[in-house]
Short mmCIF file of all heavy atoms in Angstrom, two decimals:
data_model
loop_
_atom_site.label_atom_id
_atom_site.label_comp_id
_atom_site.label_asym_id
_atom_site.label_seq_id
_atom_site.Cartn_x
_atom_site.Cartn_y
_atom_site.Cartn_z
N HIS A 967 44.64 87.46 93.87
CA HIS A 967 45.39 86.47 93.10
C HIS A 967 46.87 86.66 93.37
O HIS A 967 47.36 87.80 93.36
CB HIS A 967 45.12 86.61 91.60
CG HIS A 967 43.70 86.33 91.21
ND1 HIS A 967 43.23 85.04 91.02
CD2 HIS A 967 42.66 87.16 90.96
CE1 HIS A 967 41.95 85.09 90.68
NE2 HIS A 967 41.58 86.37 90.63
N PHE A 968 47.60 85.57 93.58
CA PHE A 968 49.05 85.62 93.75
C PHE A 968 49.69 85.15 92.45
O PHE A 968 49.51 84.00 92.04
CB PHE A 968 49.50 84.73 94.92
CG PHE A 968 49.10 85.26 96.27
CD1 PHE A 968 47.97 84.77 96.91
CD2 PHE A 968 49.84 86.25 96.88
CE1 PHE A 968 47.60 85.27 98.16
CE2 PHE A 968 49.48 86.75 98.13
CZ PHE A 968 48.37 86.25 98.76
N LEU A 969 50.44 86.04 91.82
CA LEU A 969 51.07 85.72 90.56
C LEU A 969 52.39 84.99 90.77
O LEU A 969 53.07 85.20 91.77
CB LEU A 969 51.32 87.00 89.75
CG LEU A 969 50.08 87.85 89.41
CD1 LEU A 969 50.49 89.09 88.63
CD2 LEU A 969 49.07 87.03 88.63
N TYR A 970 52.74 84.13 89.81
CA TYR A 970 54.02 83.43 89.72
C TYR A 970 54.20 82.36 90.78
O TYR A 970 54.88 81.37 90.53
CB TYR A 970 55.20 84.41 89.80
CG TYR A 970 55.05 85.62 88.92
CD1 TYR A 970 55.03 86.91 89.46
CD2 TYR A 970 54.89 85.49 87.55
CE1 TYR A 970 54.87 88.02 88.65
CE2 TYR A 970 54.73 86.60 86.73
CZ TYR A 970 54.72 87.85 87.29
OH TYR A 970 54.55 88.95 86.49
N ASN A 971 53.65 82.55 91.97
CA ASN A 971 53.77 81.55 93.04
C ASN A 971 52.44 81.47 93.79
O ASN A 971 52.35 81.87 94.95
CB ASN A 971 54.91 81.93 93.99
CG ASN A 971 55.17 80.88 95.05
OD1 ASN A 971 54.66 79.76 94.97
ND2 ASN A 971 55.94 81.24 96.06
N PRO A 972 51.41 80.96 93.12
CA PRO A 972 50.07 81.01 93.73
C PRO A 972 49.94 80.20 95.01
O PRO A 972 49.09 80.51 95.85
CB PRO A 972 49.17 80.42 92.62
CG PRO A 972 50.09 79.64 91.74
CD PRO A 972 51.41 80.35 91.79
N GLN A 973 50.78 79.17 95.19
CA GLN A 973 50.70 78.36 96.40
C GLN A 973 51.60 78.89 97.51
O GLN A 973 51.70 78.27 98.58
CB GLN A 973 51.08 76.92 96.07
CG GLN A 973 50.08 76.24 95.13
CD GLN A 973 50.47 74.82 94.81
OE1 GLN A 973 51.65 74.48 94.77
NE2 GLN A 973 49.48 73.97 94.59
N LEU A 974 52.28 80.01 97.27
CA LEU A 974 53.14 80.66 98.26
C LEU A 974 54.21 79.71 98.80
O LEU A 974 54.49 79.67 99.99
CB LEU A 974 52.29 81.22 99.41
CG LEU A 974 51.23 82.25 99.03
CD1 LEU A 974 50.44 82.67 100.26
CD2 LEU A 974 51.84 83.46 98.36
N ARG A 975 54.84 78.95 97.92
CA ARG A 975 55.88 78.01 98.34
C ARG A 975 57.17 78.76 98.63
O ARG A 975 57.64 79.54 97.80
CB ARG A 975 56.13 76.98 97.24
CG ARG A 975 54.97 76.01 97.01
CD ARG A 975 55.31 75.02 95.92
NE ARG A 975 54.25 74.04 95.73
CZ ARG A 975 54.24 73.12 94.77
NH1 ARG A 975 55.25 73.07 93.92
NH2 ARG A 975 53.24 72.27 94.67
N SER A 976 57.74 78.51 99.78
CA SER A 976 58.98 79.18 100.15
C SER A 976 60.16 78.70 99.31
O SER A 976 61.14 79.41 99.14
CB SER A 976 59.28 78.95 101.63
OG SER A 976 59.37 77.57 101.92
N SER A 977 60.07 77.48 98.75
CA SER A 977 61.15 76.97 97.91
C SER A 977 61.32 77.82 96.66
O SER A 977 62.43 77.91 96.11
CB SER A 977 60.87 75.52 97.52
OG SER A 977 59.65 75.39 96.82
N TYR A 978 60.27 78.46 96.19
CA TYR A 978 60.37 79.35 95.04
C TYR A 978 61.25 80.55 95.37
O TYR A 978 61.88 81.13 94.49
CB TYR A 978 58.98 79.85 94.62
CG TYR A 978 58.22 78.89 93.75
CD1 TYR A 978 58.26 77.52 93.98
CD2 TYR A 978 57.44 79.34 92.69
CE1 TYR A 978 57.56 76.63 93.19
CE2 TYR A 978 56.74 78.45 91.88
CZ TYR A 978 56.80 77.11 92.14
OH TYR A 978 56.11 76.22 91.35
N ASN A 979 61.28 80.93 96.63
CA ASN A 979 62.09 82.05 97.06
C ASN A 979 63.52 81.63 97.38
O ASN A 979 64.49 82.30 97.01
CB ASN A 979 61.45 82.72 98.28
CG ASN A 979 62.28 83.85 98.83
OD1 ASN A 979 62.62 84.80 98.12
ND2 ASN A 979 62.62 83.79 100.10
N PHE A 980 63.67 80.50 98.08
CA PHE A 980 64.98 80.10 98.57
C PHE A 980 65.85 79.42 97.51
O PHE A 980 67.07 79.53 97.55
CB PHE A 980 64.85 79.18 99.78
CG PHE A 980 64.47 79.90 101.04
CD1 PHE A 980 63.36 79.52 101.78
CD2 PHE A 980 65.23 80.96 101.49
CE1 PHE A 980 63.01 80.20 102.94
CE2 PHE A 980 64.90 81.64 102.66
CZ PHE A 980 63.79 81.25 103.38
N SER A 981 65.25 78.69 96.59
CA SER A 981 66.05 77.95 95.61
C SER A 981 66.92 78.87 94.75
O SER A 981 68.12 78.62 94.62
CB SER A 981 65.14 77.08 94.75
OG SER A 981 64.54 76.06 95.52
N PRO A 982 66.38 79.92 94.14
CA PRO A 982 67.27 80.83 93.41
C PRO A 982 68.28 81.52 94.32
O PRO A 982 69.41 81.79 93.91
CB PRO A 982 66.30 81.85 92.79
CG PRO A 982 64.98 81.18 92.76
CD PRO A 982 64.97 80.31 93.98
N ALA A 983 67.87 81.81 95.57
CA ALA A 983 68.76 82.52 96.48
C ALA A 983 69.93 81.65 96.92
O ALA A 983 71.07 82.13 97.00
CB ALA A 983 67.97 83.01 97.70
N ILE A 984 69.67 80.37 97.19
CA ILE A 984 70.74 79.51 97.69
C ILE A 984 71.80 79.31 96.63
O ILE A 984 72.97 79.01 96.94
CB ILE A 984 70.15 78.16 98.18
CG1 ILE A 984 71.16 77.39 99.04
CG2 ILE A 984 69.74 77.31 97.00
CD1 ILE A 984 71.57 78.11 100.28
N MET A 985 71.43 79.45 95.36
CA MET A 985 72.42 79.31 94.29
C MET A 985 73.52 80.37 94.43
O MET A 985 74.69 80.11 94.16
CB MET A 985 71.74 79.43 92.93
CG MET A 985 70.79 78.27 92.63
SD MET A 985 69.77 78.54 91.16
CE MET A 985 71.01 78.53 89.88
N GLY A 986 73.14 81.58 94.83
CA GLY A 986 74.13 82.64 95.00
C GLY A 986 75.14 82.32 96.07
O GLY A 986 76.31 82.70 95.96
N MET A 987 74.74 81.60 97.12
CA MET A 987 75.67 81.24 98.19
C MET A 987 76.48 80.00 97.83
O MET A 987 77.66 79.90 98.17
CB MET A 987 74.91 81.01 99.49
CG MET A 987 75.82 80.82 100.70
SD MET A 987 74.92 80.83 102.26
CE MET A 987 73.98 79.33 102.12
N ILE A 988 75.87 79.05 97.13
CA ILE A 988 76.57 77.82 96.78
C ILE A 988 77.77 78.11 95.89
O ILE A 988 78.86 77.56 96.10
CB ILE A 988 75.61 76.83 96.09
CG1 ILE A 988 74.63 76.24 97.12
CG2 ILE A 988 76.39 75.71 95.41
CD1 ILE A 988 73.56 75.37 96.52
N PHE A 989 77.61 78.97 94.91
CA PHE A 989 78.71 79.23 93.98
C PHE A 989 79.84 80.01 94.65
O PHE A 989 81.00 79.87 94.28
CB PHE A 989 78.20 79.95 92.74
CG PHE A 989 77.30 79.09 91.90
CD1 PHE A 989 76.09 79.57 91.44
CD2 PHE A 989 77.65 77.80 91.60
CE1 PHE A 989 75.26 78.78 90.67
CE2 PHE A 989 76.83 76.99 90.84
CZ PHE A 989 75.62 77.48 90.37
N LEU A 990 79.49 80.84 95.63
CA LEU A 990 80.56 81.48 96.40
C LEU A 990 81.32 80.44 97.22
O LEU A 990 82.54 80.51 97.35
CB LEU A 990 79.97 82.55 97.32
CG LEU A 990 79.60 83.89 96.68
CD1 LEU A 990 79.08 84.84 97.74
CD2 LEU A 990 80.78 84.50 95.97
N LEU A 991 80.58 79.48 97.77
CA LEU A 991 81.23 78.44 98.57
C LEU A 991 82.16 77.58 97.72
O LEU A 991 83.30 77.32 98.10
CB LEU A 991 80.15 77.56 99.23
CG LEU A 991 80.63 76.37 100.05
CD1 LEU A 991 81.36 76.85 101.29
CD2 LEU A 991 79.47 75.48 100.44
N VAL A 992 81.68 77.15 96.56
CA VAL A 992 82.46 76.25 95.71
C VAL A 992 83.57 77.00 94.98
O VAL A 992 84.72 76.56 94.96
CB VAL A 992 81.54 75.52 94.71
CG1 VAL A 992 82.36 74.68 93.73
CG2 VAL A 992 80.55 74.64 95.46
N CYS A 993 83.20 78.13 94.36
CA CYS A 993 84.17 78.85 93.51
C CYS A 993 85.12 79.70 94.33
O CYS A 993 86.35 79.50 94.29
CB CYS A 993 83.42 79.72 92.51
SG CYS A 993 82.32 78.81 91.44
N ALA A 994 84.58 80.66 95.05
CA ALA A 994 85.43 81.64 95.72
C ALA A 994 86.22 81.02 96.87
O ALA A 994 87.45 81.10 96.91
CB ALA A 994 84.57 82.79 96.24
N MET A 995 85.52 80.38 97.79
CA MET A 995 86.21 79.87 98.98
C MET A 995 87.20 78.77 98.63
O MET A 995 88.35 78.79 99.07
CB MET A 995 85.18 79.37 99.99
CG MET A 995 85.80 78.92 101.32
SD MET A 995 84.55 78.35 102.51
CE MET A 995 83.64 79.86 102.80
N MET A 996 86.79 77.81 97.83
CA MET A 996 87.67 76.68 97.54
C MET A 996 88.82 77.08 96.62
O MET A 996 89.93 76.55 96.74
CB MET A 996 86.87 75.54 96.93
CG MET A 996 85.90 74.91 97.91
SD MET A 996 85.19 73.39 97.32
CE MET A 996 84.27 72.91 98.79
N THR A 997 88.58 78.00 95.70
CA THR A 997 89.67 78.48 94.87
C THR A 997 90.71 79.20 95.70
O THR A 997 91.92 79.00 95.55
CB THR A 997 89.13 79.43 93.77
OG1 THR A 997 88.18 78.72 92.98
CG2 THR A 997 90.26 79.92 92.88
N ALA A 998 90.26 80.06 96.61
CA ALA A 998 91.18 80.79 97.47
C ALA A 998 92.00 79.83 98.33
O ALA A 998 93.22 79.95 98.45
CB ALA A 998 90.41 81.77 98.35
N VAL A 999 91.32 78.85 98.94
CA VAL A 999 92.03 77.90 99.80
C VAL A 999 93.02 77.07 98.99
O VAL A 999 94.14 76.80 99.44
CB VAL A 999 91.01 77.00 100.52
CG1 VAL A 999 91.72 75.86 101.25
CG2 VAL A 999 90.18 77.82 101.50
N SER A 1000 92.63 76.69 97.78
CA SER A 1000 93.52 75.88 96.95
C SER A 1000 94.79 76.62 96.60
O SER A 1000 95.90 76.06 96.68
CB SER A 1000 92.78 75.46 95.67
OG SER A 1000 93.64 74.78 94.79
N ILE A 1001 94.69 77.88 96.21
CA ILE A 1001 95.86 78.65 95.83
C ILE A 1001 96.73 78.96 97.06
O ILE A 1001 97.96 78.86 97.01
CB ILE A 1001 95.44 79.94 95.12
CG1 ILE A 1001 94.73 79.60 93.81
CG2 ILE A 1001 96.65 80.84 94.85
CD1 ILE A 1001 94.16 80.80 93.08
N VAL A 1002 96.08 79.31 98.17
CA VAL A 1002 96.83 79.60 99.39
C VAL A 1002 97.55 78.34 99.88
O VAL A 1002 98.67 78.42 100.39
CB VAL A 1002 95.90 80.15 100.48
CG1 VAL A 1002 96.62 80.25 101.81
CG2 VAL A 1002 95.37 81.53 100.07
N ARG A 1003 96.92 77.17 99.71
CA ARG A 1003 97.57 75.93 100.12
C ARG A 1003 98.89 75.72 99.36
O ARG A 1003 99.88 75.29 99.93
CB ARG A 1003 96.64 74.75 99.87
CG ARG A 1003 97.21 73.42 100.38
CD ARG A 1003 96.42 72.23 99.88
NE ARG A 1003 95.02 72.34 100.28
CZ ARG A 1003 93.99 72.23 99.45
NH1 ARG A 1003 94.22 72.02 98.16
NH2 ARG A 1003 92.76 72.32 99.90
N GLU A 1004 98.88 76.03 98.06
CA GLU A 1004 100.11 75.91 97.27
C GLU A 1004 101.20 76.84 97.80
O GLU A 1004 102.37 76.47 97.91
CB GLU A 1004 99.81 76.23 95.80
CG GLU A 1004 98.84 75.29 95.13
CD GLU A 1004 99.49 74.02 94.66
OE1 GLU A 1004 100.68 73.80 94.97
OE2 GLU A 1004 98.82 73.22 93.98
N THR A 1005 100.81 78.06 98.15
CA THR A 1005 101.78 79.02 98.67
C THR A 1005 102.26 78.62 100.05
O THR A 1005 103.45 78.73 100.38
CB THR A 1005 101.15 80.42 98.71
OG1 THR A 1005 100.65 80.76 97.42
CG2 THR A 1005 102.16 81.47 99.14
N GLU A 1006 101.33 78.14 100.88
CA GLU A 1006 101.67 77.80 102.27
C GLU A 1006 102.61 76.60 102.33
O GLU A 1006 103.51 76.55 103.18
CB GLU A 1006 100.38 77.49 103.04
CG GLU A 1006 100.57 77.33 104.53
CD GLU A 1006 99.26 77.09 105.24
OE1 GLU A 1006 98.23 76.87 104.55
OE2 GLU A 1006 99.23 77.10 106.47
N THR A 1007 102.43 75.62 101.44
CA THR A 1007 103.27 74.42 101.45
C THR A 1007 104.54 74.58 100.63
O THR A 1007 105.40 73.69 100.65
CB THR A 1007 102.48 73.22 100.92
OG1 THR A 1007 102.00 73.52 99.60
CG2 THR A 1007 101.30 72.92 101.82
N GLY A 1008 104.66 75.70 99.88
CA GLY A 1008 105.87 75.94 99.10
C GLY A 1008 105.86 75.38 97.70
O GLY A 1008 106.82 75.57 96.94
N THR A 1009 104.78 74.69 97.31
CA THR A 1009 104.74 74.11 95.96
C THR A 1009 104.47 75.16 94.89
O THR A 1009 104.74 74.90 93.71
CB THR A 1009 103.65 73.02 95.89
OG1 THR A 1009 102.40 73.59 96.33
CG2 THR A 1009 104.00 71.84 96.77
N MET A 1010 103.94 76.32 95.26
CA MET A 1010 103.73 77.38 94.28
C MET A 1010 105.06 77.83 93.68
O MET A 1010 105.15 78.13 92.48
CB MET A 1010 102.99 78.56 94.92
CG MET A 1010 102.72 79.71 93.96
SD MET A 1010 101.61 79.27 92.61
CE MET A 1010 100.04 79.25 93.46
N GLU A 1011 106.10 77.89 94.50
CA GLU A 1011 107.40 78.30 93.99
C GLU A 1011 107.92 77.31 92.96
O GLU A 1011 108.57 77.69 91.98
CB GLU A 1011 108.39 78.44 95.14
CG GLU A 1011 108.01 79.53 96.14
CD GLU A 1011 109.00 79.60 97.29
OE1 GLU A 1011 109.95 78.80 97.30
OE2 GLU A 1011 108.81 80.47 98.17
#
């Protein structure tokens, strides 16, 4: 018997995992680029 994922669907494995990468992409990368853009263009000052 296979518990929790009896049909052995790979989406059960990848869906929670992809969330960890998506939030790094949206939060970390875009936040860093946004702040650096302000510094690079001089508007931060």
Side-chain angles (χ1 to χ4, degrees):
H967 295 278
F968 290 98
L969 301 179
Y970 314 120
N971 185 12
Q973 295 180 329
L974 300 178
R975 292 180 177 175
S976 58
S977 59
Y978 277 40
N979 177 56
F980 285 125
S981 294
I984 195 61
M985 294 170 67
M987 188 170 67
I988 287 174
F989 292 132
L990 282 182
L991 177 67
V992 175
C993 301
M995 184 180 295
M996 292 191 175
T997 301
V999 171
S1000 174
I1001 296 175
V1002 171
R1003 184 192 303 128
E1004 297 278 8
T1005 305
E1006 189 177 10
T1007 57
T1009 54
M1010 180 64 76
E1011 296 178 359

